[in-house]
Amino acid sequence: MALIEIKGVDFTYNELETPALANINLSIEAGEFIAIIGGNGSGKSTLAKLLNVLLLPGSGKVLVDGMDTADEKYKLKIRQKVGMVFQNPDNQLVAARVEDDIAFGPENLGIPGPEIRKRVDQALELVGMAGFHDYPPHELSGGQKQRIAIAGIIAMEPDCIVLDEPTAMLDPKGRKEVMDTIHFLNKEKGITIIHITHFMEETIGADRIFVMHNGAIYKEGTPEEIFHSISDIKRLGLDVTVVVELAERLKKEGFNLPDVLTISELVDCLC
Amino acid sequence: MLRNINIGQYIARDSIIHKLDARIKIIITILMITALFFIDSFKGYFLFLLAVLFIIYLSQISFMRIIRGLRPVLFLVLLTLILHIFFTRGGEVIWQWRFITIEKNGLITGLFMVSRILLLIMFTSLLTLTTSPLQLTDGIESLLRPLKRFGIPASELAMMMTIALRFIPTLLEEADKIMKAQMARGADFESGNIIRRSKNLIPLLVPLFISAFRRADDLALAMESRCYHGGEGRTKLHELKVKTQDFIALFISILFSILVSFF
């Protein structure tokens, strides 16, 4: 059984006429790294909120580990299994100290104190921020705050983490920190990652990419498949990465190149 | 102006007083203040002052820091003293000039009141100087918990305090940023009389409030997605535990407050 299954979901916000999501069908297996990409208003954030019971589908079903999100009795269980990291690093840390913030989720779950202590230490270790227990959030950089937010989710021992544009407000260094952290968690801890972004280069290394447009899934495939339908991607107002663009232009000029995604791959092919 | 953000007046030290349980410190403070109101002799006040000085010594906080804390109430203290001296009647006349008389009772009551106010401020500021706002919040929550039965939402109140403490520096930073942005657009926050100046604060306050509400919205969502569902069934990372030294401190202060009330 898939970890997350979305069947024929529609969603319309109260005051609006056009639906934010229309007839979404997808399933995500445990341990996958999924990237969801799309422009503004493509419905990607709405989709994320459905996975974590922050929104309920207008019609259709969202199943997490077989549990229907519409069923009130599963609400907390689903939120524990599917953690969520938001865009603004400042607006999701609750407590005035790093360790209290990481403890917030486990405290809500009613886990005993000594066990929380263990989880807080482990989570800090996993996001590479051991030793930051006592810091107040406002003394951390954006990338560090996002890693603390991720640690706060990890401490709840989820199966899956949904990240809703976690890097949109960060500088390049912070962006790299966050990306490295979530790839590490996916590879080493087997946590399913659903990474929502509008940066094309952040989807490299994902197992599958969903391209969203106007509330529907426009395309689905591996990074190789998605990146090389350049004209399609550009029509949606998204940018392909420089490397892919360059490779594509070289091919047009008659170079014999395989499909490449990263700089090092391109260098290997050319030299 | 917004550098060195220091919430409350907590001063971190590694002293016995700092290590006491926040709840015990709150209880002791209430106890001692109550006792302070039963004292009616200078000997009693002197004894109390000695106790305060001893605690200051134990807390490793500089005496000057405590004295500085008294400055804001100086006016109140002087006013109390003057009012009592000239208007409280009774006892023998000490000094007289035309219709102004100072009588003994007035002088004594005035001095009593002054000692009372000064000692009260000194003792309570010892509490806030040696207990971090977070510990205070935990302490208050734990003390209020029994009142939940009467509809007092102790853990929700504590959560609100924690969030406020968390966001004060963030909002200060933001205010600083908005102020600079508005100054770059020609806003003037510094000249003019009080009315003019407070009017000029509007371009600072409106964006600040809007952003605070937006933050609140985001934060509520983030809290909900992390399984927050009120205080019901919540555990704590730091369970407060009363240790031996807490009992000793409580015991001593009970004895002291009984003793001092008889002076």
Side-chain angles (χ1 to χ4, degrees):
Chain A
M1 185 178 55
L3 179 63
I4 290 173
E5 223 158 329
I6 299 181
K7 293 179 187 162
V9 162
D10 290 308
F11 185 87
T12 311
Y13 284 100
N14 281 336
E15 61 270 30
L16 299 176
E17 291 194 354
T18 44
L21 291 176
N23 194 27
I24 302 280
N25 287 289
L26 58 85
S27 86
I28 293 168
E29 299 295 327
E32 273 192 295
F33 193 117
I34 302 288
I36 297 179
I37 190 157
N40 288 335
S42 59
K44 50 195 197 318
S45 286
T46 310
L47 182 62
K49 286 180 186 142
L50 286 172
L51 301 179
N52 182 265
V53 212
L54 291 173
L55 295 175
L56 291 175
S59 62
K61 261 186 196 316
V62 178
L63 300 175
V64 174
D65 210 6
M67 296 178 285
D68 189 343
T69 58
D71 196 333
E72 179 70 23
K73 71 171 182 278
Y74 293 136
K75 190 165 86 179
L76 288 181
K77 188 85 193 121
I78 291 174
R79 285 185 177 158
Q80 180 263 317
K81 276 187 178 294
V82 181
M84 191 148 170
V85 175
F86 296 86
Q87 185 183 70
N88 190 327
D90 264 325
N91 298 357
Q92 54 184 320
L93 301 183
V94 184
R97 247 176 2 153
V98 162
E99 66 174 6
D100 291 329
D101 189 78
I102 297 175
F104 180 74
E107 285 176 346
N108 288 334
L109 297 173
I111 287 155
E115 167 71 14
I116 299 180
R117 159 67 45 210
K118 223 167 55 198
R119 288 192 185 188
V120 168
D121 292 344
Q122 274 168 359
L124 273 171
E125 190 90 31
L126 283 175
V127 298
M129 293 205 41
F132 278 85
H133 289 97
D134 262 337
Y135 273 67
H138 68 271
E139 283 182 18
L140 302 176
S141 72
Q144 288 174 326
K145 278 184 226 176
Q146 282 304 51
R147 277 145 72 202
I148 294 303
I150 294 171
I153 304 297
I154 295 172
M156 295 169 72
E157 302 193 334
D159 295 337
C160 173
I161 304 179
V162 181
L163 301 104
D164 188 2
E165 300 199 40
T167 58
M169 298 179 74
L170 304 182
D171 56 7
K173 181 165 167 284
R175 225 189 276 170
K176 186 171 179 324
E177 287 170 7
V178 169
M179 290 312 296
D180 289 350
T181 305
I182 59 180
H183 276 290
F184 171 79
L185 290 174
N186 179 248
K187 289 219 175 58
E188 303 299 319
K189 292 282 143 190
I191 297 174
T192 312
I193 300 281
I194 299 175
H195 179 218
I196 296 169
T197 180
H198 60 251
F199 295 115
M200 206 64 189
E201 64 266 26
E202 286 181 1
T203 61
I204 299 170
D207 295 319
R208 279 191 294 159
I209 299 178
F210 293 101
V211 182
M212 291 195 67
H213 185 60
N214 282 343
I217 292 174
Y218 178 80
K219 230 173 174 27
E220 181 203 331
T222 62
E224 284 80 10
E225 290 162 8
I226 298 293
F227 275 53
H228 291 93
S229 40
I230 287 189
S231 52
D232 264 0
I233 300 281
K234 284 196 163 166
R235 225 186 24 239
L236 302 185
L238 295 166
D239 270 329
V240 291
T241 60
V242 178
V243 175
V244 172
E245 173 103 46
L246 177 65
E248 207 63 24
R249 286 192 188 180
L250 286 172
K251 263 194 241 174
K252 266 193 201 134
E253 294 295 320
F255 278 82
N256 184 20
L257 285 174
D259 288 349
V260 292
L261 290 179
T262 62
I263 294 184
S264 58
E265 281 174 5
L266 182 63
V267 170
D268 284 345
C269 293
L270 287 175
C271 310
Chain B
M1 67 177 262
L2 299 173
R3 289 293 102 206
N4 302 323
I5 299 155
N6 197 358
I7 310 159
Q9 40 177 354
Y10 177 61
I11 296 177
R13 291 275 186 285
D14 192 25
S15 79
I16 318 173
I17 306 293
H18 283 72
K19 280 191 199 123
L20 286 180
D21 187 294
R23 288 170 297 180
I24 298 293
K25 278 196 264 189
I26 295 171
I27 293 172
I28 290 177
T29 308
I30 295 171
L31 199 70
M32 292 292 269
I33 289 172
T34 317
L36 192 57
F37 281 89
F38 284 104
I39 301 176
D40 53 0
S41 75
F42 284 114
K43 260 187 291 176
Y45 285 118
F46 185 67
L47 207 62
F48 199 94
L49 178 68
L50 284 184
V52 171
L53 289 178
F54 182 61
I55 298 172
I56 294 174
Y57 168 74
L58 285 181
S59 71
Q60 298 175 14
I61 285 171
S62 87
F63 185 66
M64 287 316 290
R65 183 70 191 71
I66 309 267
I67 296 297
R68 237 184 303 147
L70 294 177
R71 252 192 323 213
V73 291
L74 211 61
F75 175 72
L76 181 72
V77 167
L78 284 178
L79 188 73
T80 316
L81 187 63
I82 290 167
L83 287 180
H84 274 292
I85 286 179
F86 290 110
F87 295 107
T88 305
R89 296 274 153 257
E92 56 192 89
V93 176
I94 298 173
W95 186 76
Q96 189 165 30
W97 182 72
R98 294 197 188 168
F99 56 89
I100 303 172
T101 49
I102 296 178
E103 290 169 13
K104 195 179 172 196
N105 279 8
L107 187 65
I108 288 178
T109 325
L111 288 176
F112 274 10
M113 289 308 283
V114 167
S115 327
R116 206 171 273 174
I117 295 171
L118 290 180
L119 287 171
L120 185 125
I121 302 288
M122 281 166 97
F123 206 91
T124 43
S125 60
L126 260 178
L127 174 68
T128 48
L129 283 166
T130 62
T131 320
S132 78
L134 288 174
Q135 287 173 309
L136 266 183
T137 310
D138 278 352
I140 293 169
E141 175 187 7
S142 160
L143 286 175
L144 287 179
R145 209 173 290 158
L147 297 180
K148 218 175 239 175
R149 231 171 304 153
F150 308 110
I152 293 179
S155 52
E156 281 77 4
L157 285 174
M159 181 55 68
M160 275 158 59
M161 293 252 291
T162 315
I163 291 173
L165 289 172
R166 148 81 183 88
F167 276 94
I168 287 169
T170 310
L171 290 178
L172 279 178
E173 257 168 48
E174 179 143 48
D176 202 30
K177 226 185 275 171
I178 295 171
M179 220 160 155
K180 282 188 183 130
Q182 300 289 31
M183 270 150 84
R185 290 166 176 76
D188 180 9
F189 294 110
E190 269 136 24
S191 60
N193 57 25
I194 288 193
I195 298 170
R196 183 151 196 95
R197 255 199 278 182
S198 30
K199 257 191 196 155
N200 286 348
L201 279 181
I202 292 173
L204 168 66
L205 292 179
V206 171
L208 192 61
F209 268 89
I210 292 175
S211 118
F213 281 118
R214 192 167 299 143
R215 281 180 199 282
D217 221 25
D218 280 1
L219 187 70
L221 214 57
M223 285 172 69
E224 231 185 297
S225 82
R226 282 162 81 182
C227 295
Y228 185 68
H229 53 285
E232 203 80 20
R234 244 177 91 76
T235 46
K236 297 227 116 201
L237 171 60
H238 304 281
E239 268 315 333
L240 293 173
K241 272 199 202 82
V242 180
K243 291 159 294 210
T244 326
Q245 63 255 46
D246 295 316
F247 281 117
I248 295 172
L250 186 62
F251 182 67
I252 293 174
S253 52
I254 290 174
L255 274 187
F256 180 81
S257 40
I258 293 171
L259 179 80
V260 90
S261 314
F262 283 111
F263 270 90

